[in-house]
């Protein structure tokens, strides 16, 4: 896991996950920045991720909020 600037992914296919109060805002921000969302998964706020929650069966980057 490593952090990168979001504009690094502009124009790329990505998977996105969020466990925040309004996940659609995050997903909308990603598309606004040029990310192509292959898969999105939202979970309840403060969700404790399990390993399988982040398995997308592909090699695409997985983007999530800093809070997550």
């Amino acid at each position: 896991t490593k952090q990168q600037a979001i504009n690094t992914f502009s124009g790329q296919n990505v998977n996105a996950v969020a466990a925040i109060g309004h996940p659609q805002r995050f997903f909308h921000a990603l598309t606004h920045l040029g990310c192509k969302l292959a898969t999105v998964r939202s979970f309840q706020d403060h969700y404790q991720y399990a390993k399988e929650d982040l398995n997308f069966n592909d090699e695409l980057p997985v983007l999530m909020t800093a809070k997550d």
Side-chain angles (χ1 to χ4, degrees):
T1 305
K2 69 179 181 177
Q3 293 183 1
Q4 294 184 10
I6 195 65
N7 61 352
T8 303
F9 302 98
S10 181
Q12 293 186 37
N13 290 323
V14 300
N15 296 309
V17 297
I20 56 177
H22 299 285
Q24 291 304 324
R25 289 183 190 168
F26 175 62
F27 303 141
H28 178 75
L30 293 177
T31 57
H32 182 72
L33 292 169
C35 297
K36 299 174 185 175
L37 304 182
T39 304
V40 297
R41 293 184 185 163
S42 59
F43 299 91
Q44 66 188 9
D45 201 11
H46 304 288
Y47 179 76
Q48 295 296 310
Y49 289 101
K51 186 176 181 177
E52 58 271 9
D53 295 330
L54 305 177
N55 183 2
F56 290 89
N57 295 316
D58 59 33
E59 297 298 318
L60 297 176
V62 176
L63 305 184
M64 62 178 26
T65 67
K67 175 190 163 292
D68 293 324

